[in-house]
Amino acid sequence: QAQLIESGGGSVQAGGSLTLSCLGTGRTFRSYPISWFRQAAGKEREFVAGIDRNGDNVLYGDSVKGRFTCSRDNAKNTVTLQMNSLEPGDTGVYYCARTRSWYPTKTRDAYDQWGQGTQVTVSS
């Protein structure tokens, strides 16, 4: 069964950078938009960024615009989230997820497959 596997989380100081990767194990990975969500302790899961099938269109959450960059390499079945200028408010568990929508969407219920998550901690 196809899976999504996140990696790259860790602990950094404010202003630092991290790169997260989402590896898809199925042959159809390239057929779906993939998005990143995050969830801080005690808060709802929040949309971060999403990319369409070909990597031509990227959607960002308002809080990460200008700081995060989402890209994909379908030859490697990978979606990458480059996170710069990290802030304590970026702390949380980051998940990648697959949607059957034509384009990435901020609506959490549109996603039918999720990874296990990777922890990102930003200290001040």
Side-chain angles (χ1 to χ4, degrees), residues 53-82:
R53 292 164 173 75
N54 298 322
D56 295 330
N57 295 284
V58 183
L59 179 66
Y60 293 100
D62 290 341
S63 62
V64 307
K65 284 180 181 177
R67 300 188 297 123
F68 291 11
T69 301
C70 185
S71 60
R72 73 187 295 163
D73 184 343
N74 285 335
K76 297 181 179 179
N77 273 17
T78 300
V79 170
T80 299
L81 184 68
Q82 175 65 44

mmCIF file of all heavy atoms in Angstrom, residues 53-82:
data_model
loop_
_atom_site.group_PDB
_atom_site.id
_atom_site.type_symbol
_atom_site.label_atom_id
_atom_site.label_comp_id
_atom_site.label_asym_id
_atom_site.label_seq_id
_atom_site.Cartn_x
_atom_site.Cartn_y
_atom_site.Cartn_z
ATOM 1 N N ARG A 53 0.346 18.593 -9.366
ATOM 2 C CA ARG A 53 0.963 17.376 -9.882
ATOM 3 C C ARG A 53 2.316 17.617 -10.538
ATOM 4 O O ARG A 53 3.255 16.848 -10.353
ATOM 5 C CB ARG A 53 0.029 16.728 -10.904
ATOM 6 C CG ARG A 53 -1.237 16.159 -10.330
ATOM 7 C CD ARG A 53 -2.260 15.899 -11.424
ATOM 8 N NE ARG A 53 -3.436 15.210 -10.936
ATOM 9 C CZ ARG A 53 -4.387 15.768 -10.227
ATOM 10 N NH1 ARG A 53 -4.307 17.035 -9.902
ATOM 11 N NH2 ARG A 53 -5.431 15.057 -9.826
ATOM 12 N N ASN A 54 2.387 18.661 -11.324
ATOM 13 C CA ASN A 54 3.594 18.914 -12.107
ATOM 14 C C ASN A 54 4.567 19.871 -11.428
ATOM 15 O O ASN A 54 5.665 20.099 -11.953
ATOM 16 C CB ASN A 54 3.216 19.467 -13.480
ATOM 17 C CG ASN A 54 2.384 18.495 -14.288
ATOM 18 O OD1 ASN A 54 2.622 17.290 -14.253
ATOM 19 N ND2 ASN A 54 1.390 19.000 -14.998
ATOM 20 N N GLY A 55 4.157 20.450 -10.312
ATOM 21 C CA GLY A 55 5.013 21.415 -9.637
ATOM 22 C C GLY A 55 4.910 22.814 -10.205
ATOM 23 O O GLY A 55 5.714 23.687 -9.866
ATOM 24 N N ASP A 56 3.909 23.054 -11.048
ATOM 25 C CA ASP A 56 3.775 24.358 -11.698
ATOM 26 C C ASP A 56 3.053 25.369 -10.824
ATOM 27 O O ASP A 56 3.228 26.588 -11.003
ATOM 28 C CB ASP A 56 3.013 24.208 -13.015
ATOM 29 C CG ASP A 56 3.775 23.369 -14.028
ATOM 30 O OD1 ASP A 56 5.022 23.383 -13.989
ATOM 31 O OD2 ASP A 56 3.123 22.693 -14.839
ATOM 32 N N ASN A 57 2.224 24.903 -9.934
ATOM 33 C CA ASN A 57 1.425 25.796 -9.089
ATOM 34 C C ASN A 57 1.616 25.436 -7.624
ATOM 35 O O ASN A 57 1.487 24.270 -7.245
ATOM 36 C CB ASN A 57 -0.055 25.682 -9.445
ATOM 37 C CG ASN A 57 -0.341 26.170 -10.847
ATOM 38 O OD1 ASN A 57 -0.377 27.359 -11.113
ATOM 39 N ND2 ASN A 57 -0.533 25.235 -11.771
ATOM 40 N N VAL A 58 1.935 26.434 -6.838
ATOM 41 C CA VAL A 58 2.157 26.243 -5.407
ATOM 42 C C VAL A 58 1.267 27.217 -4.644
ATOM 43 O O VAL A 58 1.163 28.385 -5.005
ATOM 44 C CB VAL A 58 3.625 26.472 -5.019
ATOM 45 C CG1 VAL A 58 3.832 26.181 -3.534
ATOM 46 C CG2 VAL A 58 4.539 25.575 -5.847
ATOM 47 N N LEU A 59 0.633 26.712 -3.601
ATOM 48 C CA LEU A 59 -0.233 27.516 -2.738
ATOM 49 C C LEU A 59 0.405 27.553 -1.347
ATOM 50 O O LEU A 59 0.839 26.514 -0.838
ATOM 51 C CB LEU A 59 -1.619 26.875 -2.676
ATOM 52 C CG LEU A 59 -2.680 27.529 -1.808
ATOM 53 C CD1 LEU A 59 -3.058 28.894 -2.379
ATOM 54 C CD2 LEU A 59 -3.921 26.634 -1.716
ATOM 55 N N TYR A 60 0.451 28.739 -0.740
ATOM 56 C CA TYR A 60 1.043 28.885 0.581
ATOM 57 C C TYR A 60 0.041 29.427 1.582
ATOM 58 O O TYR A 60 -0.826 30.237 1.240
ATOM 59 C CB TYR A 60 2.248 29.840 0.536
ATOM 60 C CG TYR A 60 3.420 29.312 -0.238
ATOM 61 C CD1 TYR A 60 3.656 29.718 -1.544
ATOM 62 C CD2 TYR A 60 4.306 28.398 0.337
ATOM 63 C CE1 TYR A 60 4.726 29.225 -2.266
ATOM 64 C CE2 TYR A 60 5.382 27.907 -0.376
ATOM 65 C CZ TYR A 60 5.595 28.320 -1.674
ATOM 66 O OH TYR A 60 6.663 27.823 -2.385
ATOM 67 N N GLY A 61 0.204 29.015 2.819
ATOM 68 C CA GLY A 61 -0.551 29.620 3.898
ATOM 69 C C GLY A 61 -0.022 31.024 4.146
ATOM 70 O O GLY A 61 1.166 31.310 3.914
ATOM 71 N N ASP A 62 -0.871 31.909 4.628
ATOM 72 C CA ASP A 62 -0.487 33.310 4.804
ATOM 73 C C ASP A 62 0.695 33.471 5.756
ATOM 74 O O ASP A 62 1.541 34.354 5.563
ATOM 75 C CB ASP A 62 -1.680 34.108 5.331
ATOM 76 C CG ASP A 62 -2.773 34.265 4.290
ATOM 77 O OD1 ASP A 62 -2.487 34.086 3.086
ATOM 78 O OD2 ASP A 62 -3.919 34.565 4.682
ATOM 79 N N SER A 63 0.783 32.646 6.756
ATOM 80 C CA SER A 63 1.821 32.822 7.779
ATOM 81 C C SER A 63 3.216 32.400 7.311
ATOM 82 O O SER A 63 4.202 32.718 7.981
ATOM 83 C CB SER A 63 1.446 32.035 9.040
ATOM 84 O OG SER A 63 1.372 30.650 8.757
ATOM 85 N N VAL A 64 3.315 31.716 6.179
ATOM 86 C CA VAL A 64 4.626 31.233 5.726
ATOM 87 C C VAL A 64 5.060 31.839 4.399
ATOM 88 O O VAL A 64 6.179 31.576 3.932
ATOM 89 C CB VAL A 64 4.655 29.694 5.625
ATOM 90 C CG1 VAL A 64 4.205 29.067 6.944
ATOM 91 C CG2 VAL A 64 3.810 29.194 4.465
ATOM 92 N N LYS A 65 4.204 32.639 3.786
ATOM 93 C CA LYS A 65 4.558 33.249 2.499
ATOM 94 C C LYS A 65 5.842 34.053 2.603
ATOM 95 O O LYS A 65 6.031 34.816 3.551
ATOM 96 C CB LYS A 65 3.421 34.155 2.019
ATOM 97 C CG LYS A 65 2.227 33.423 1.465
ATOM 98 C CD LYS A 65 1.149 34.400 1.020
ATOM 99 C CE LYS A 65 -0.062 33.674 0.492
ATOM 100 N NZ LYS A 65 -1.155 34.614 0.126
ATOM 101 N N GLY A 66 6.732 33.853 1.641
ATOM 102 C CA GLY A 66 7.994 34.571 1.627
ATOM 103 C C GLY A 66 9.086 33.920 2.449
ATOM 104 O O GLY A 66 10.253 34.303 2.349
ATOM 105 N N ARG A 67 8.729 32.917 3.261
ATOM 106 C CA ARG A 67 9.725 32.243 4.104
ATOM 107 C C ARG A 67 9.898 30.775 3.720
ATOM 108 O O ARG A 67 10.997 30.232 3.829
ATOM 109 C CB ARG A 67 9.320 32.336 5.574
ATOM 110 C CG ARG A 67 9.205 33.741 6.104
ATOM 111 C CD ARG A 67 8.997 33.752 7.613
ATOM 112 N NE ARG A 67 7.750 33.101 8.003
ATOM 113 C CZ ARG A 67 7.702 32.068 8.845
ATOM 114 N NH1 ARG A 67 8.806 31.568 9.367
ATOM 115 N NH2 ARG A 67 6.529 31.531 9.177
ATOM 116 N N PHE A 68 8.818 30.130 3.292
ATOM 117 C CA PHE A 68 8.847 28.708 2.941
ATOM 118 C C PHE A 68 8.733 28.550 1.434
ATOM 119 O O PHE A 68 8.066 29.332 0.759
ATOM 120 C CB PHE A 68 7.687 27.969 3.593
ATOM 121 C CG PHE A 68 7.769 27.827 5.090
ATOM 122 C CD1 PHE A 68 8.701 28.519 5.845
ATOM 123 C CD2 PHE A 68 6.895 26.976 5.748
ATOM 124 C CE1 PHE A 68 8.768 28.387 7.217
ATOM 125 C CE2 PHE A 68 6.943 26.823 7.127
ATOM 126 C CZ PHE A 68 7.883 27.547 7.853
ATOM 127 N N THR A 69 9.383 27.502 0.918
ATOM 128 C CA THR A 69 9.297 27.170 -0.500
ATOM 129 C C THR A 69 9.009 25.682 -0.650
ATOM 130 O O THR A 69 9.717 24.849 -0.086
ATOM 131 C CB THR A 69 10.612 27.501 -1.227
ATOM 132 O OG1 THR A 69 10.906 28.896 -1.073
ATOM 133 C CG2 THR A 69 10.485 27.191 -2.717
ATOM 134 N N CYS A 70 7.977 25.391 -1.415
ATOM 135 C CA CYS A 70 7.577 24.006 -1.655
ATOM 136 C C CYS A 70 7.919 23.624 -3.093
ATOM 137 O O CYS A 70 7.637 24.397 -4.018
ATOM 138 C CB CYS A 70 6.085 23.840 -1.406
ATOM 139 S SG CYS A 70 5.479 22.141 -1.529
ATOM 140 N N SER A 71 8.512 22.463 -3.278
ATOM 141 C CA SER A 71 8.866 21.992 -4.617
ATOM 142 C C SER A 71 8.702 20.475 -4.668
ATOM 143 O O SER A 71 8.531 19.829 -3.634
ATOM 144 C CB SER A 71 10.310 22.383 -4.957
ATOM 145 O OG SER A 71 11.213 21.806 -4.035
ATOM 146 N N ARG A 72 8.738 19.935 -5.871
ATOM 147 C CA ARG A 72 8.630 18.481 -5.981
ATOM 148 C C ARG A 72 9.520 17.963 -7.092
ATOM 149 O O ARG A 72 9.795 18.670 -8.071
ATOM 150 C CB ARG A 72 7.181 18.036 -6.187
ATOM 151 C CG ARG A 72 6.572 18.286 -7.526
ATOM 152 C CD ARG A 72 5.070 17.948 -7.500
ATOM 153 N NE ARG A 72 4.803 16.544 -7.275
ATOM 154 C CZ ARG A 72 3.621 16.054 -6.897
ATOM 155 N NH1 ARG A 72 2.596 16.896 -6.698
ATOM 156 N NH2 ARG A 72 3.443 14.757 -6.725
ATOM 157 N N ASP A 73 9.930 16.706 -6.927
ATOM 158 C CA ASP A 73 10.719 15.994 -7.932
ATOM 159 C C ASP A 73 10.020 14.657 -8.147
ATOM 160 O O ASP A 73 10.209 13.713 -7.367
ATOM 161 C CB ASP A 73 12.151 15.800 -7.425
ATOM 162 C CG ASP A 73 13.058 15.148 -8.448
ATOM 163 O OD1 ASP A 73 12.528 14.555 -9.400
ATOM 164 O OD2 ASP A 73 14.276 15.214 -8.284
ATOM 165 N N ASN A 74 9.218 14.573 -9.199
ATOM 166 C CA ASN A 74 8.441 13.363 -9.431
ATOM 167 C C ASN A 74 9.321 12.168 -9.802
ATOM 168 O O ASN A 74 8.932 11.020 -9.590
ATOM 169 C CB ASN A 74 7.389 13.605 -10.500
ATOM 170 C CG ASN A 74 6.211 14.416 -9.983
ATOM 171 O OD1 ASN A 74 5.934 14.424 -8.781
ATOM 172 N ND2 ASN A 74 5.516 15.106 -10.870
ATOM 173 N N ALA A 75 10.489 12.422 -10.334
ATOM 174 C CA ALA A 75 11.400 11.318 -10.649
ATOM 175 C C ALA A 75 11.867 10.619 -9.364
ATOM 176 O O ALA A 75 12.209 9.435 -9.380
ATOM 177 C CB ALA A 75 12.590 11.837 -11.429
ATOM 178 N N LYS A 76 11.870 11.372 -8.265
ATOM 179 C CA LYS A 76 12.292 10.820 -6.974
ATOM 180 C C LYS A 76 11.121 10.615 -6.022
ATOM 181 O O LYS A 76 11.323 10.286 -4.858
ATOM 182 C CB LYS A 76 13.325 11.743 -6.325
ATOM 183 C CG LYS A 76 14.611 11.888 -7.120
ATOM 184 C CD LYS A 76 15.604 12.795 -6.412
ATOM 185 C CE LYS A 76 16.898 12.906 -7.202
ATOM 186 N NZ LYS A 76 17.873 13.825 -6.529
ATOM 187 N N ASN A 77 9.900 10.854 -6.517
ATOM 188 C CA ASN A 77 8.706 10.710 -5.673
ATOM 189 C C ASN A 77 8.823 11.524 -4.389
ATOM 190 O O ASN A 77 8.459 11.064 -3.309
ATOM 191 C CB ASN A 77 8.444 9.242 -5.328
ATOM 192 C CG ASN A 77 7.605 8.531 -6.368
ATOM 193 O OD1 ASN A 77 7.464 9.003 -7.495
ATOM 194 N ND2 ASN A 77 7.040 7.396 -6.003
ATOM 195 N N THR A 78 9.297 12.746 -4.513
ATOM 196 C CA THR A 78 9.575 13.557 -3.330
ATOM 197 C C THR A 78 8.998 14.964 -3.460
ATOM 198 O O THR A 78 9.090 15.584 -4.523
ATOM 199 C CB THR A 78 11.089 13.658 -3.103
ATOM 200 O OG1 THR A 78 11.615 12.347 -2.906
ATOM 201 C CG2 THR A 78 11.412 14.492 -1.879
ATOM 202 N N VAL A 79 8.428 15.447 -2.380
ATOM 203 C CA VAL A 79 8.035 16.841 -2.238
ATOM 204 C C VAL A 79 8.852 17.429 -1.092
ATOM 205 O O VAL A 79 8.946 16.817 -0.025
ATOM 206 C CB VAL A 79 6.530 16.988 -1.964
ATOM 207 C CG1 VAL A 79 6.180 18.421 -1.588
ATOM 208 C CG2 VAL A 79 5.724 16.552 -3.183
ATOM 209 N N THR A 80 9.422 18.592 -1.326
ATOM 210 C CA THR A 80 10.319 19.214 -0.357
ATOM 211 C C THR A 80 9.723 20.527 0.144
ATOM 212 O O THR A 80 9.110 21.275 -0.614
ATOM 213 C CB THR A 80 11.683 19.491 -1.003
ATOM 214 O OG1 THR A 80 12.255 18.244 -1.420
ATOM 215 C CG2 THR A 80 12.630 20.165 -0.025
ATOM 216 N N LEU A 81 9.907 20.790 1.429
ATOM 217 C CA LEU A 81 9.501 22.062 2.024
ATOM 218 C C LEU A 81 10.746 22.708 2.630
ATOM 219 O O LEU A 81 11.267 22.251 3.640
ATOM 220 C CB LEU A 81 8.433 21.859 3.096
ATOM 221 C CG LEU A 81 7.866 23.135 3.709
ATOM 222 C CD1 LEU A 81 7.046 23.909 2.667
ATOM 223 C CD2 LEU A 81 6.985 22.828 4.920
ATOM 224 N N GLN A 82 11.216 23.753 1.969
ATOM 225 C CA GLN A 82 12.364 24.506 2.476
ATOM 226 C C GLN A 82 11.837 25.608 3.367
ATOM 227 O O GLN A 82 11.062 26.456 2.923
ATOM 228 C CB GLN A 82 13.143 25.102 1.302
ATOM 229 C CG GLN A 82 14.293 26.009 1.721
ATOM 230 C CD GLN A 82 15.382 25.265 2.467
ATOM 231 O OE1 GLN A 82 15.794 24.171 2.069
ATOM 232 N NE2 GLN A 82 15.858 25.840 3.562
#
